[in-house]
Amino acid sequence: MYGVAAYVLWGVVPVYWKLMSAISPIEILAHRVVWGMVALFAIAHVAGARPAVRAAARDRRTLAMMALSGSLLLVNWGTYIAAVSAGRIVDASLGYFINPLVSVGFGTVLLHERLRRLQWLAIALALAGVAIQSWRIGHVPWISLVLAASFGSYGLVRKLARVDSLAGSTLETTMVAPLAIAFLTILAARGGGGLGHASVGMQLLLLSTGVVTAVPLVLFTSAARLLPLSTIGFLQYFTPSGQLILAVALYHEPFARAQWLAFGLIWLGLIVFTIDLVRRTRALSRTGR
């Protein structure tokens, strides 16, 4: 449920970024980092997780891994916000369709997670869909590949990090926040930036990026620590499916017949994987494991 909730929220978030199309993507990214850090510290305080945050901050290995995961988030968030602002939500959704393949690859190769027959079938279907979509585009889908690689790597780092979800999310945003604060400070000193200059509604949107960032991120990292990385990989299809529906139905981005075939294969792969997951869960419950 943590994973499903996180991916559904991420699936509808393009609507939020579209509302701020008058603001530059890099400024939105900076606000997202700063207010995300504030929101996460507030959540950690209410949840009584401040000791865990301090303990994690004293561990050098954890600090290094959170600096890495925070950097991967910067790349992923920045690329995604720029893609939405440029009207490339379909390309962004393809990236998140590829991302589960990256997660499954990391899980099987690096973490030695074993896949069952239906899971292999699901991967083959999804891979075929991604291949068709990439061929239809006619060029290397850089936006999609950057999004897939950055978030797949982020999931792997958070899987390996010895820190709970809330403390880790708080620490990783804190590690990269100085860059965002410096950018916003320089922007304000030059008389620019949305805060203090944009409409009241726009300023409220900028300030609320913290909540939009913190809630699904905590849900995701909770799921990442509790589930196999391969399962996390396929749950992620909820996000690009929602993004794709928004791109075509709400923002009228072009979507050809070949794309229906490609995305249909990917959705079929998700259905097959879900069936296998349900069967596996029922079998384990019967054996009491």
Side-chain angles (χ1 to χ4, degrees), residues 197-236:
H197 299 91
S199 66
V200 174
M202 187 66 70
Q203 293 185 65
L204 290 175
L205 286 173
L206 288 172
L207 293 174
S208 60
T209 53
V211 176
V212 173
T213 297
V215 173
L217 191 60
V218 171
L219 290 170
F220 166 75
T221 51
S222 297
R225 291 185 59 80
L226 295 170
L227 294 172
L229 200 59
S230 54
T231 303
I232 282 289
F234 273 86
L235 283 179
Q236 289 172 18

Side-chain angles (χ1 to χ4, degrees), residues 7 10-15 17-18 32 75-100 102 130 133-134 136-137 139-152 236-248 251 253-255 259 263 266:
Y7 297 128
W10 276 326
V12 299
V13 82
V15 175
W17 304 127
K18 277 286 191 181
R32 186 177 187 183
V75 173
N76 184 268
W77 288 352
T79 304
Y80 183 68
I81 292 171
V84 172
S85 299
R88 305 284 294 275
I89 300 178
V90 171
D91 289 348
S93 71
L94 176 61
Y96 288 111
F97 274 124
I98 298 173
N99 178 38
V102 175
V130 170
Q133 174 66 357
S134 300
R136 192 204 67 83
I137 292 174
H139 59 81
V140 178
W142 291 112
I143 292 175
S144 307
L145 293 179
V146 170
L147 288 172
S150 58
F151 202 71
Q236 289 172 18
Y237 281 133
F238 283 104
T239 293
S241 296
Q243 293 169 352
L244 181 62
I245 292 170
L246 287 174
V248 176
Y251 299 117
E253 292 189 19
F255 199 73
Q259 288 173 287
F263 283 83
I266 293 170

Side-chain angles (χ1 to χ4, degrees), residues 63-141:
L63 275 179
M65 296 193 75
M66 292 303 95
L68 176 58
S69 65
S71 299
L72 290 168
L73 275 185
L74 280 182
V75 173
N76 184 268
W77 288 352
T79 304
Y80 183 68
I81 292 171
V84 172
S85 299
R88 305 284 294 275
I89 300 178
V90 171
D91 289 348
S93 71
L94 176 61
Y96 288 111
F97 274 124
I98 298 173
N99 178 38
L101 301 177
V102 175
S103 295
V104 170
F106 285 158
T108 54
V109 175
L110 300 179
L111 303 182
H112 308 293
E113 296 176 357
R114 293 185 177 181
L115 299 181
R116 295 177 292 278
R117 290 182 180 180
L118 281 181
Q119 290 177 314
W120 279 115
L121 175 60
I123 292 171
L125 289 168
L127 188 59
V130 170
I132 291 173
Q133 174 66 357
S134 300
W135 169 80
R136 192 204 67 83
I137 292 174
H139 59 81
V140 178

Side-chain angles (χ1 to χ4, degrees), residues 176-189:
V176 296
L179 293 174
I181 293 172
F183 173 81
L184 293 175
T185 301
I186 294 172
L187 193 64

Side-chain angles (χ1 to χ4, degrees), residues 49 52-53 56 66 158 161-170 221-222 225:
V53 175
M66 292 303 95
R158 290 308 306 264
R162 298 180 305 212
V163 60
D164 67 41
S165 58
L166 181 54
S169 297
T170 304
T221 51
S222 297
R225 291 185 59 80

